[in-house]
Amino acid sequence: MKDSKEYIEVYGAREHNLKNINVKIPRNELVVITGLSGSGKSSLAFDTIFAEGQRRYIETFSAYARQFLGGLERPDVDKIDGLSPVIAIEQKTTSKNPRSTVGTVTELYDFLRLLFARVSDAYSLTSGKKLVSYTEEQILHAIQNNYKNEKVMLLAPVVRSRKGHYHELFVQMAKKGYGQARIDGEIRELEYNLKLDRYKTHDIDIVIDRWIIGEASSESRMEKSLSTALQMGDGIIGIQKLDSDHIEYFSRNLMDAESGHSLALPEPNTFSFNSPKGSCFYCKGLGTVKKVNTDYFVENPKLSINQGGLLPLEDIKSNKWILSQSKNILEIFGLSLSTPMKDIPKEALDYIYNGCHKEFNKDLKYAGVNKKIKISFDGLVPMINELIDDKDSYDAVLLERHFTTEENCPECKGTRLQPSSLSFKIADKNIAEVSAMSLSDFMVWLVEIEDQFSNKNKIIAHEILKELRTRLQFLLDVGLEYLSLSRSTRTLSGGESQRIRLATQIGSQLVNVLYILDEPSIGLHQRDNERLINSLKNLRDIGNSVLVVEHDKDMILEANEVLDVGPRAGKFGGEVLWQGKPADLLKADTITADYLTGKR
Ligand SMILES: [Zn+2]
């Protein structure tokens, strides 16, 4: 289906070196603008057509919003007709945000999180056993079956290995009518003056009810009491037989029945490194930490500390304490602040860098006496860490810039996620392991897991898997199969970022958009270039106009129409020399035609 206006019509374009030109560009086709570099092809595509599209887009905002955006300059052109909304896919790294990954910018990770929230199994971090969760009804049935004719207590765990005297808790519980609690393994009466040792850690379970399983009056209360206990115990209850010390716990959460280790049921945010529910506690989801690197401390080993040889001291304004402690440490070795850094032994440097809490006997030969030198110094490295953690001072900024390097987080090993998030697995793999796969392996995995799913999980996962595979295929189509979801976008080349944006745009299935790309074929191998061209045709075929600034021969020959801008660069360019079907360009008399036919 073609729009009523079949051309984008540009009249009187004079941006940069453009010579007041009129151009008609067919809509809903793949059009290449080619020409020497500097000939004016980008001035036409980006500085005229894209700039005008952007300007019109911003014009649609309210005056209020526009005052913040600032008006865009109208490009130097008389008129452009038939312009659709314009999206430029340029060669630049999309994001410097350290939290942005291939997975997040393509939204593939969002769908993967959803998949893990729906169909993963949880395994105990301690025993490796599969964890199970019960519904309230299942818990009730389990108690009725396992404890037939037994006298039992229903317990709600309210405190788990935490310090405090818990006086208020006991008063509150007694007021509610609860008479007993199991405190640190012992059943005790809840009296108003009950107080525990506030400096010790305690386990407290409130006795909610006593049942004789199978007896009518108990059975009639069970459902309500269980519900109350689950609420107080945050999804967990315990059952203890009257003649035994052993408690069996049941959980609405995921739980290892033996160790009592429990996990909350997973939700998509459990797997998000941008949510406190999922991110590593140590690196807050960055996957890396800044670490002080002592290799940067000394640049010129011939200088002494007094001469500025120990560089961090130059960044720390109040360094008197460090200097005095360094002086004491050096004195033990018979050295001083005037000793060149290269002559200070390793042991002394270790004390200065990493701290020392010792007393030394130092022979003062000249005085014939023993002097005691007491050192109590935490060390330069911990002090720098402390300053950087505060982040308030200018010192901190300098120290971080000069003396730290980025390293993989020691806690999450770079996975950005907390341990509990990694205990959920699909087909033996946690979400970090899946994210680290190459995109081509990821595709294989997505196909394989569906076969292993139970019928129930197949139904649950069906739509999510379909969405994942479709979006992933677009990335494979533009030749990015070697990337992984966990790859930080900061480390991508401009071309890779451009192709990710292209794949995401194809995935978005927008129609009636004018896409403008600059030299997307740069750096591509033959096979990937073919796939790129197919992706652009795909974008066109779903109902968009695609305008590509390009030198590449294959791209030119595959286009519906070619514009050759020239003849030369700068003021000797700026005109449309030739426009038509690529097959006809081969017969034309332009530099581009000569290049295509191999005459140049
Ligand atoms: Zn971490």
Side-chain angles (χ1 to χ4, degrees), residues 147 150-155 180 187 207 209-212 239-246:
Y147 295 92
E150 302 271 7
K151 290 180 183 165
V152 300
M153 285 184 286
L154 170 66
L155 304 167
Q180 290 182 318
I187 299 291
V207 179
D209 204 351
R210 286 159 183 272
W211 295 328
I212 301 170
I239 295 290
Q240 181 178 358
K241 287 201 275 185
L242 286 193
D243 55 6
S244 149
D245 284 342
H246 181 75

Side-chain angles (χ1 to χ4, degrees), residues 153-171:
M153 285 184 286
L154 170 66
L155 304 167
V158 289
V159 171
R160 273 293 167 272
S161 39
R162 283 213 321 260
K163 286 179 186 158
H165 57 63
Y166 294 105
H167 178 62
E168 286 82 11
L169 174 74
F170 297 135
V171 171

Side-chain angles (χ1 to χ4, degrees), residues 280 282-283 287 409 411-412 416:
C280 166
Y282 192 70
C283 65
C409 169
E411 287 296 314
C412 64
R416 301 167 182 253

Side-chain angles (χ1 to χ4, degrees), residues 283-413:
C283 65
K284 306 278 183 293
L286 287 171
T288 56
V289 287
K290 292 267 171 71
K291 217 182 144 201
V292 174
N293 190 331
T294 56
D295 291 348
Y296 298 138
F297 282 11
V298 180
E299 222 169 68
N300 183 353
K302 287 180 191 151
L303 298 181
S304 68
I305 291 180
N306 271 344
Q307 291 167 315
L310 188 55
L311 293 171
L313 296 186
E314 307 302 302
D315 285 346
I316 303 174
K317 267 188 230 87
S318 41
N319 61 14
K320 273 214 181 78
W321 163 252
I322 305 173
L323 276 175
S324 70
Q325 293 303 301
S326 302
K327 179 171 172 280
N328 288 344
I329 290 169
L330 289 170
E331 199 178 346
I332 298 161
F333 294 86
L335 305 170
S336 75
L337 292 175
S338 308
T339 309
M341 292 304 295
K342 66 180 170 58
D343 297 331
I344 300 175
K346 249 189 150 165
E347 198 187 350
L349 281 181
D350 184 54
Y351 289 155
I352 295 175
Y353 291 175
N354 301 312
C356 169
H357 297 271
K358 271 194 224 169
E359 202 173 71
F360 296 86
N361 278 316
K362 174 69 187 154
D363 259 340
L364 294 178
K365 293 214 173 65
Y366 52 89
V369 289
N370 245 343
K371 186 187 170 189
K372 277 200 165 75
I373 302 179
K374 198 177 168 194
I375 309 281
S376 184
F377 181 52
D378 287 339
L380 197 47
V381 173
M383 291 178 80
I384 291 175
N385 276 327
E386 211 170 289
L387 280 166
I388 291 176
D389 281 349
D390 275 350
K391 280 206 187 297
D392 291 337
S393 63
Y394 186 57
D395 288 4
V397 177
L398 289 179
L399 288 168
E400 182 166 345
R401 194 181 300 156
H402 294 157
F403 304 109
T404 64
T405 43
E406 215 171 65
E407 292 182 12
N408 244 7
C409 169
E411 287 296 314
C412 64
K413 310 278 184 286

